[in-house]
Amino acid sequence: MNVIVEFFQDNFWALLILKLLIIAGLIPVSGLAIGFGELKLSAKMQSRVGPYFAGGRYGWLQLIADGIKFIQKEDIIPAEADRPVFRWAPALVMASTVGLFIVIPFWPEGSVAGIEFSQGSVRNLDVGIFYALAISSLSTIGVLMAGWSSANKYSLMGGLRAAGQLIAYELPMVLSVIGVVIMAGTMSLQGIVDAQAGFSFFGTVDSATLGHLVPPYMILQFVGLVIFFTAALAEMSRIPFDMPIAESELVTGYLTEYSGFRFLFFFLAEFANMFTMSALAATLFLGGYLGPGVETYPILGPVYLVSKIAVLVFLMIWFRWTFPRFREDQLQNLAWKILVPLGLANIVVTAILKVVV
Amino acid sequence: MTESPSDEAAAEPSPLEEFAATVASTVGAARHDVVFDTVKVYVDPSAWIETLRTAKHDLGLVHFSYLSAIDWANDVAVGDPPAEPVEERFEVLAAVADLTDGRLVHFSTSLSKDEPALPTATSVYAGAAWHEREAHEMFDIDFAGHPHLEKLYLPSDFEGHPLKKSYPLLTREVKPWPGTVDVEGMPDEGDEASDEGSDDAAVTTPAGATTENPGR
Amino acid sequence: MTVDQDAFRYLADAAVSVELETEDMTLNIGPQHPSTHGVLRLVAKVDGERVSDVEPAIGYMHRGYEKICEVRTYPQITAIVNRIDWTSGYANEVPLIVAAEKLMELEVPERAQYIRLILTEMARIASHFMFMASFPLELGAATPLMFALRERERVLDLIESVTGGRFHPNFNRIGGVKPAYGSGSTTRKITQDLPAGFFSGSRQAMDAVLATCDEIEDLVAGNEIFLARTKRVGVLPPEIAADYGVTGPNLRASGIRFDLRKVSDYLPYDRFDFVVPIGTMGDSWDRWWVRLEEIRQAARIVQQAIDGVPSGPLQAKVPKIIKVPKGEVYVRAENPKGEMGYYIVSEGGQGPYRLKIRSASFSNISILPWVLEGVLVPDIIAIMGSLDFVLGDVDR
């Protein structure tokens, strides 16, 4: 056992590949878990039961059965479609989601059963949050590619709407994060979590003594949290921002011509994106893996992180099944006229307070 | 509640009859009648647009209900011919109503069978557009000045005008009209107090059935 | 030779404009589409997201009712006519039967009239709940669908318990209503009337309906996004509505307080106390709100009617073979979708010589070219949904 641990600790590449494999496994699992949660939660909200038969009474095999169904479907590409672009679009969208997993800190530094853990994430980049936002905006290109290459007017309209929407909401997302960066003083996600861990309210009450139960940035950067959450919903094209998909108008918009495994990619990417966006929000604003007793028992770190993600994902699912969708111009209105000025004001206030207080 | 018109006192005209008389005199119609609470005012085709315009602007009949036609013919390809021989014509009906008391007036005009043509009512009521398209495709009535007189329901390569009495119904070509047959008898009424006396003992054939094919 | 610099500049500008000028894209919405309430095809010319011209192409569901009815007897017509507006099946039969009864100068027993009224109002509740379900769904909210359809099931169960059919009751007979929920011709005396438990079941159902109306109002009416999607969207001025023959809740949403139940006597509505809701602006929000209020009023009417159903025969004395005497009559009724009327030309036979069916949705969607000009593509869906039409009603 010790030999294996030492092997991984000494050999950089082995550790990296191990972490990547874990992430590769985590993506479908998170996607499935969140998808199943959505099915069951939406059913509860609508006075019905949801998946019931697949895999026993609770239907937990439903999504796996769906996945197998999608995999074995015929690969249909429309005759007029632009074939290489059509093929690569889902890959790009999935790539942008996967890329986000790499910087999220899952566990604190510490040791479990004598094994030392040094980094909480796959790679702790110094420009962590910058990289995360940049990678997440890759999906815009993927969506545009999907919309254009489908050779279908509905897809084209969906793709164009998506382009407008995704680009519009990049800006509020970035602005809301800058407030956190100013407060923490660093762009690396691990550093931001450390700053939250070492935060002391009014200079007297340590966050650690409170057991990290009160996330400091949730209170101080509440506006930022709201903006980030709204922009994240828009980036994922979830209701109330799902104009690009707009099922009742455009018959799933840019996804119309995708079937089988390619559709599964988009589908999984959406749920995995929910996970990563919630993870980002939890890390930036809610303290990430921090919680009571996390220094002594580092194993609790992922547990806390996952529970915070669960709360945010629940909120996303709740919004999806309650609200109708915005019209495109109302959406743009919200982004440019409301969220961007709010974000800018947030930055200004944060900067002033950081210097003054 | 259904009351027969004969119950009303014949001496005093009902409000509806007064209204009908007013309408008829305002538009200068030759004839009008009120039967079963249905007001019908008969006008000439040449006075069609003027009549509708007067109805809309002077009589307050602003609501356009529908426009349709009746094909009066003595030789019919489907169904039964009229009980007594009628004058063969197309009768175009336009129903317009007011929005306060709910009075509806049918303006009726008769067109000849050979060249049924009428000026379009879309200049007065914009909603007549679709109704006139339907009347055109069903009866082959030409509405002069209609902006877009094309088929409404039927595919563009459809030939014929279905609602004309000379147009056959395909299923009736396959199985001819059986004429008057017994309809299925009514079940007896459910009131124990009243004794009907007539049980429906025999099962009667539904209309349209022949002896080889008793039920459908 | 001097060169006119301005001319060159204008030429260059013109060349660029011509190259940048694009044609409007023709977007075909339907006939298979999640939101067109059936097989409606809209040929829309869009410029980006803005619609420049819409032409509806209808007729995908044309079944030739008027021609068919020329070769059917009146009971047969009753059986098929509830398929015109299938979300409120019972209401389609009533004006036809009343028209035939007028021609025959029949006196319909009171009990039958009350039963007709109760079932018509239940059909109205069913139709409007269908609207409550599908309209937010088209805007993206999926939850009111479940709530509204759940209540609709209660009402449909009641209708089924009386008539035997949820959507196609075929319950009216000339002279009254069908004496039982049994079927066809039998060789024994039918002694059953309304099923046991109908009155108490209706009372419970109406209470549940009113509670669900409050629930839906909470869920939908206060929602900012819903308001933003429907307020001032698809404004229909009253003059245009009257010109095009729009009827029903669409007309009342434009501010015209006109309800055939109050002015016409095809059913004994004058004995009941109910309010006719109207809107203020004629936008999609008003159309939604008017229908919500109409559900409440319909539930009120049913509650009042149930308390006072008189006893008596269910059907007037009619001969076995019904021949309607010669004459012409037009009867119109306030159906859930609008005004439905039947013009019967009878030549004394067992069936009509000509039956003209005036259906509400046909006139209601004739305004689509007018109201959809210059709106955005998502608004097409919102406006079409708010007009609440059914293709069977449009195409007959």
Side-chain angles (χ1 to χ4, degrees):
Chain A
M1 183 62 193
N2 272 330
V3 177
I4 300 178
V5 172
E6 275 172 22
F7 170 70
F8 277 118
Q9 283 183 335
D10 293 337
N11 194 337
F12 168 77
W13 287 105
L15 190 58
L16 185 65
I17 291 176
L18 177 67
K19 286 185 182 175
L20 285 176
L21 282 175
I22 294 178
I23 295 289
L26 186 59
I27 293 171
V29 168
S30 70
L32 286 176
I34 294 181
F36 181 70
E38 167 137 23
L39 290 174
K40 279 297 195 184
L41 276 171
S42 66
K44 245 324 185 211
M45 288 180 203
Q46 296 178 347
S47 317
R48 50 187 182 90
V49 182
Y52 197 69
F53 294 106
R57 189 189 169 288
Y58 291 99
W60 52 271
L61 267 182
Q62 177 71 38
L63 278 178
I64 298 179
D66 271 339
I68 298 176
K69 177 194 78 169
F70 277 125
I71 292 175
Q72 52 95 36
K73 278 197 188 250
E74 178 189 350
D75 183 19
I76 301 177
I77 302 184
E80 313 248 333
D82 196 342
R83 296 183 93 95
V85 177
F86 192 83
R87 286 201 172 99
W88 280 101
L92 253 174
V93 173
M94 185 60 110
S96 87
T97 305
V98 171
L100 263 175
F101 272 92
I102 296 188
V103 284
I104 297 172
F106 281 103
W107 58 86
E109 297 186 20
S111 64
V112 168
I115 306 174
E116 290 265 333
F117 289 95
S118 59
Q119 282 182 5
S121 48
V122 175
R123 284 305 288 159
N124 182 23
L125 298 174
D126 282 334
V127 287
I129 190 63
F130 183 73
Y131 160 82
L133 291 172
I135 273 281
S136 78
S137 62
L138 256 189
S139 62
T140 313
I141 305 180
V143 164
L144 255 179
M145 283 167 66
W148 174 256
S149 67
S150 294
N152 180 347
K153 276 182 193 153
Y154 286 119
S155 302
L156 183 62
M157 287 187 68
L160 290 176
R161 285 179 177 180
Q165 176 180 313
L166 296 176
I167 293 176
Y169 278 89
E170 287 293 341
L171 202 48
M173 199 169 358
V174 171
L175 291 177
S176 62
V177 165
I178 293 183
V180 172
V181 170
I182 292 178
M183 292 210 63
T186 168
M187 273 208 274
S188 101
L189 281 167
Q190 184 71 48
I192 292 177
V193 177
D194 289 337
Q196 290 183 59
F199 192 86
S200 53
F201 293 95
F202 306 115
T204 48
V205 182
D206 256 346
S207 179
T209 53
L210 286 176
H212 300 296
L213 276 173
V214 183
Y217 290 172
M218 186 173 88
I219 303 174
L220 293 174
Q221 288 287 314
F222 188 69
V223 175
L225 175 59
V226 168
I227 297 177
F228 184 84
F229 194 71
T230 313
L233 274 179
E235 287 293 316
M236 292 184 292
S237 293
R238 277 185 77 81
I239 294 181
F241 301 106
D242 82 333
M243 260 295 137
I245 304 181
E247 262 165 40
S248 55
E249 300 166 29
L250 299 178
V251 201
T252 65
Y254 62 87
L255 292 176
T256 313
E257 296 290 346
Y258 282 89
S259 59
F261 194 61
R262 301 180 207 284
F263 180 74
L264 186 64
F265 250 49
F266 276 113
F267 198 62
L268 256 183
E270 174 175 341
F271 288 129
N273 222 1
M274 280 170 79
F275 186 86
T276 53
M277 284 295 175
S278 307
L280 263 183
T283 307
L284 291 169
F285 296 96
L286 296 181
Y289 55 72
L290 296 174
V294 79
E295 290 94 353
T296 41
Y297 301 105
I299 197 78
L300 286 176
V303 174
Y304 290 134
L305 181 61
V306 167
S307 42
K308 288 173 192 171
I309 292 175
V311 169
L312 288 173
V313 164
F314 174 76
L315 269 181
M316 289 183 183
I317 296 176
W318 193 8
F319 286 176
R320 180 191 174 164
W321 293 101
T322 312
F323 294 137
R325 64 176 67 95
F326 275 115
R327 208 172 58 205
E328 187 72 14
D329 61 323
Q330 295 165 345
L331 226 157
Q332 301 282 347
N333 205 22
L334 183 67
W336 293 107
K337 289 199 199 166
I338 300 179
L339 289 183
V340 166
L342 255 184
L344 288 172
N346 185 31
I347 296 174
V348 167
V349 169
T350 307
I352 292 178
L353 287 180
K354 176 90 175 172
V355 170
V356 165
V357 170
Chain B
M1 296 289 282
T2 54
E3 286 174 64
S4 53
S6 55
D7 278 344
E8 296 168 50
E12 209 181 279
S14 70
L16 200 58
E17 284 171 2
E18 282 182 12
F19 176 68
T22 317
V23 169
S25 62
T26 314
V27 304
R31 185 161 79 88
H32 72 277
D33 57 53
V34 180
V35 194
F36 300 119
D37 296 328
T38 310
V39 177
K40 245 177 123 170
V41 176
Y42 299 85
V43 295
D44 268 343
S46 53
W48 184 242
I49 300 298
E50 259 319 298
T51 306
L52 290 177
R53 196 164 284 144
T54 316
K56 181 172 177 182
H57 297 301
D58 299 334
L59 289 165
L61 299 169
V62 292
H63 190 253
F64 181 78
S65 202
Y66 68 91
L67 185 149
S68 187
I70 306 175
D71 181 4
W72 292 104
N74 288 313
D75 292 314
V76 296
V78 282
D80 287 325
E84 295 140 16
V86 293
E87 181 197 334
E88 304 225 336
R89 64 191 191 282
F90 282 118
E91 183 181 350
V92 173
L93 294 170
V96 292
D98 73 14
L99 288 174
T100 47
D101 302 311
R103 295 206 189 104
L104 184 120
V105 175
H106 284 83
F107 288 107
S108 159
T109 184
S110 297
L111 305 174
S112 75
K113 282 273 194 164
D114 315 312
E115 290 270 342
L118 205 58
T120 181
T122 48
S123 53
V124 186
Y125 295 100
W130 278 26
H131 296 263
E132 286 178 354
R133 273 173 78 178
E134 182 187 352
H136 169 76
E137 80 174 337
M138 294 290 173
F139 290 96
D140 196 20
I141 298 177
D142 182 38
F143 289 94
H146 193 281
H148 189 63
L149 201 63
E150 274 184 16
K151 291 199 186 304
L152 190 63
Y153 288 136
L154 304 169
S156 38
D157 51 358
F158 192 91
E159 287 172 10
H161 301 274
L163 275 178
K164 283 163 85 154
K165 284 291 183 178
S166 52
Y167 189 88
L169 199 58
L170 185 60
T171 52
R172 290 295 167 197
E173 299 293 298
V174 173
K175 189 187 299 180
W177 176 241
T180 305
V181 293
D182 278 344
V183 286
E184 185 173 322
M186 299 288 178
D188 285 329
E189 292 182 28
D191 204 352
E192 293 95 274
S194 74
D195 186 20
E196 276 310 289
S198 59
D199 290 329
D200 42 347
V203 175
T204 49
T205 46
T210 57
T211 44
E212 300 98 51
N213 196 358
R216 279 215 245 169
Chain C
M1 188 168 67
T2 55
V3 169
D4 192 345
Q5 296 290 347
D6 283 336
F8 269 117
R9 210 174 302 131
Y10 289 146
L11 269 177
D13 277 344
V16 168
S17 313
V18 164
E19 276 175 22
L20 284 183
E21 217 171 71
T22 49
E23 269 180 18
D24 291 345
M25 177 171 86
T26 305
L27 184 68
N28 215 1
I29 302 180
Q32 288 149 328
H33 190 85
S35 295
T36 52
H37 294 265
V39 278
L40 173 68
R41 180 172 163 221
L42 291 178
V43 184
K45 287 203 174 29
V46 294
D47 173 22
E49 284 265 337
R50 201 159 279 275
V51 170
S52 53
D53 181 42
V54 162
E55 197 199 309
I58 63 178
Y60 286 89
M61 216 169 162
H62 180 64
R63 294 163 281 181
Y65 261 96
E66 299 179 2
K67 187 81 176 174
I68 289 180
C69 288
E70 290 178 8
V71 291
R72 295 282 185 275
T73 63
Y74 287 97
Q76 291 175 324
I77 298 180
T78 315
I80 61 174
V81 112
N82 41 53
R83 286 151 170 82
I84 295 181
D85 170 15
W86 52 72
T87 55
S88 58
Y90 188 80
N92 302 309
E93 304 172 9
V94 171
L96 171 73
I97 292 293
V98 171
E101 286 163 358
K102 269 199 164 155
L103 279 178
M104 294 177 72
E105 299 180 22
L106 278 180
E107 177 104 18
V108 181
E110 293 247 332
R111 189 177 173 83
Q113 292 196 24
Y114 268 69
I115 295 177
R116 277 185 190 168
L117 191 144
I118 292 174
L119 287 175
T120 306
E121 289 308 306
M122 284 190 182
R124 191 183 312 275
I125 295 174
S127 171
H128 284 335
F129 264 133
M130 192 72 220
F131 170 76
M132 288 291 144
S134 60
F135 186 50
L137 183 66
E138 284 158 18
L139 294 180
T143 314
L145 172 81
M146 304 293 167
F147 293 168
L149 285 181
R150 191 184 57 202
E151 287 326 303
R152 187 164 180 257
E153 285 299 308
R154 268 188 244 268
V155 171
L156 288 178
D157 280 345
L158 282 172
I159 298 181
E160 184 188 9
S161 71
V162 176
T163 68
R166 281 151 52 103
F167 281 67
H168 307 304
N170 188 14
F171 194 58
N172 278 311
R173 298 285 181 268
I174 295 197
V177 293
K178 187 171 165 193
Y181 55 77
S183 64
S185 71
T186 65
T187 51
R188 60 178 170 85
K189 254 183 164 28
I190 310 288
T191 55
Q192 278 171 314
D193 195 318
L194 293 175
F198 177 69
F199 289 147
S200 59
S202 299
R203 285 199 192 93
Q204 282 174 1
M206 292 304 125
D207 289 337
V209 160
L210 288 170
T212 305
C213 281
D214 292 333
E215 209 175 43
I216 291 182
E217 191 173 357
D218 280 339
L219 184 59
V220 175
N223 192 321
E224 290 279 331
I225 305 180
F226 189 81
L227 287 172
R229 285 300 297 274
T230 52
K231 281 268 190 198
R232 290 192 186 78
V233 167
V235 176
L236 192 60
E239 306 82 37
I240 303 283
D243 233 13
Y244 278 86
V246 173
T247 50
N250 300 324
L251 186 66
R252 290 195 276 282
S254 294
I256 302 180
R257 196 183 291 273
F258 180 69
D259 190 330
L260 277 171
R261 295 177 286 175
K262 294 277 194 191
V263 297
S264 179
D265 62 353
Y266 64 100
L267 282 179
Y269 280 106
D270 48 356
R271 306 207 190 150
F272 304 111
D273 174 34
F274 65 99
V275 170
V276 173
I278 60 169
T280 44
M281 212 188 325
D283 55 9
S284 304
W285 163 259
D286 278 336
R287 291 192 273 272
W288 179 86
W289 188 86
V290 163
R291 287 191 177 92
L292 182 70
E293 287 298 312
E294 283 195 0
I295 300 181
R296 292 191 167 123
Q297 297 303 316
R300 258 180 83 184
I301 297 177
V302 172
Q303 283 170 335
Q304 293 170 49
I306 285 180
D307 289 334
V309 176
S311 54
L314 285 177
Q315 193 182 4
K317 305 272 196 297
V318 286
K320 271 211 190 311
I321 302 175
I322 304 221
K323 284 199 183 174
V324 173
K326 195 165 138 91
E328 297 175 17
V329 69
Y330 180 67
V331 168
R332 52 186 188 151
E334 182 74 31
N335 265 24
K337 302 279 186 294
E339 168 192 321
M340 182 170 212
Y342 290 84
Y343 189 89
I344 301 183
V345 175
S346 170
E347 287 290 318
Q350 287 178 318
Y353 178 78
R354 164 97 169 99
L355 178 70
K356 159 73 187 169
I357 307 174
R358 193 262 183 213
S359 57
S361 302
F362 182 71
S363 303
N364 283 352
I365 68 166
S366 61
I367 59 160
L368 275 180
W370 188 90
V371 82
L372 286 182
E373 206 174 314
V375 301
L376 296 172
V377 170
D379 285 339
I380 298 182
I381 308 296
I383 296 171
M384 275 198 341
S386 72
L387 286 176
D388 193 26
F389 56 88
V390 167
L391 258 299
D393 210 19
V394 171
D395 289 339
R396 284 165 269 128

